Amino acid sequence: GAGVSQSPRYKVAKRGQDVALRCDPISGHVSLFWYQQALGQGPEFLTYFQNEAQLDKSGLPSDRFFAERPEGSVSTLKIQRTQQEDSAVYLCASSSSGRNSNQPQHFGDGTRLSIL
Amino acid sequence: SQQGEEDPQALSIQEGENATMNCSYKTSINNLQWYRQNSGRGLVHLILIRSNEREKHSGRLRVTLDTSKKSSSLLITASRAADTASYFCATALEGSARQLTFGSGTQLTVLP
């Protein structure tokens, strides 16, 4: 498919476990974003990559959150020692432009993470 | 934290009616975008309006932007049941990195 693909779609983990969420952006898209969306709220920014460089991680809520995009395409968001407040939908988005914010972002369907 | 607030939080209308949603934001922006989200799905980009534009149309959508009031509105004309979704405004802040700052959304229900 031509869209942004995220896996898994649903993830249930016990408190304290580590989880890894994957994002396959649209081929050739330079910019990749991770957002966290709580129930009934709008998405909140976590981190931004331009190619393989993580240019902004100001939205990551704690040092338990780590993201990478080693080859400038697929990205992984890892959460260590999960806590119940980490339960949310994690959305990935990609955009064709690295310098111009006047381009839409294309979102995946997200990973719904539930921490028990 | 959310940059913007949508108003109303929820809106229920009959098919064929127009739906208007408003968005207010707090800081200077480069552009403002509207997205739609169906339940359990990702966000779909609807329309982008730049800070130097005042109005933009796309099909049944009309967006206005008033930078002096830091507000925007989205009008959906001749609504359909398929328009039922959550609608979010998102701002790209002036001079910032590329992330979007979203409002809290308006839940639109179009009754057949």
Side-chain angles (χ1 to χ4, degrees):
Chain A
V4 177
S5 178
Q6 292 188 246
S7 61
R9 287 279 284 125
Y10 303 92
K11 177 68 179 178
V12 179
K14 292 183 179 179
R15 188 164 53 112
Q17 289 183 329
D18 298 348
V19 297
L21 313 180
R22 177 187 169 106
C23 173
D24 281 88
I26 293 173
S27 178
H29 275 196
V30 170
S31 295
L32 185 146
F33 306 82
W34 284 97
Y35 294 87
Q36 181 189 59
Q37 186 176 24
L39 189 65
Q41 297 295 314
E44 294 206 2
F45 170 75
L46 294 176
T47 187
Y48 161 64
F49 290 86
Q50 183 172 319
N51 296 308
E52 69 279 3
Q54 189 175 20
L55 299 187
D56 189 341
K57 53 182 181 179
S58 62
L60 295 177
S62 78
D63 59 8
R64 297 185 297 103
F65 286 71
F66 172 76
E68 60 184 5
R69 194 187 185 197
E71 297 177 359
S73 55
V74 171
S75 177
T76 303
L77 176 66
K78 298 179 180 177
I79 310 174
Q80 297 175 327
R81 303 181 304 281
T82 54
Q83 300 179 5
Q84 283 192 319
E85 60 261 32
D86 299 335
S87 295
V89 175
Y90 291 85
L91 295 166
C92 176
S94 69
S95 172
S96 59
S97 174
R99 295 183 180 180
N100 185 358
S101 68
N102 288 320
Q103 293 292 326
Q105 293 184 17
H106 302 267
F107 283 79
D109 284 339
T111 293
R112 181 176 297 276
L113 176 64
S114 298
I115 304 300
L116 305 179
Chain B
S1 61
Q2 313 269 229
Q3 146 85 319
E5 294 294 329
E6 276 96 336
D7 170 54
Q9 287 189 321
L11 178 61
S12 183
I13 59 173
Q14 294 292 135
E15 207 165 25
E17 294 180 338
N18 295 343
T20 299
M21 289 160 267
N22 302 295
C23 167
S24 61
Y25 58 92
K26 298 173 184 173
T27 59
S28 295
I29 62 172
N30 188 22
N31 65 64
L32 185 144
Q33 304 178 32
W34 285 89
Y35 286 80
R36 184 188 74 226
Q37 185 177 38
N38 291 88
S39 181
R41 304 298 300 274
L43 285 81
V44 174
H45 179 261
L46 296 177
I47 196 164
L48 181 153
I49 186 166
R50 302 187 185 200
S51 59
N52 60 354
E53 298 176 311
R54 292 296 167 259
E55 187 171 314
K56 204 162 183 181
H57 297 253
S58 176
R60 294 184 296 113
L61 306 179
R62 172 179 169 254
V63 168
T64 62
L65 178 64
D66 187 335
T67 52
S68 66
K69 295 181 179 178
K70 292 187 167 57
S71 68
S72 174
S73 68
L74 171 67
L75 169 67
I76 304 174
T77 60
S79 62
R80 306 165 181 168
D83 295 329
T84 295
S86 293
Y87 291 81
F88 294 92
C89 69
T91 51
L93 301 183
E94 196 174 65
S96 77
R98 306 295 171 256
Q99 73 267 27
L100 295 173
T101 306
F102 286 84
S104 51
T106 293
Q107 172 62 51
L108 173 66
T109 302
V110 181
L111 303 170

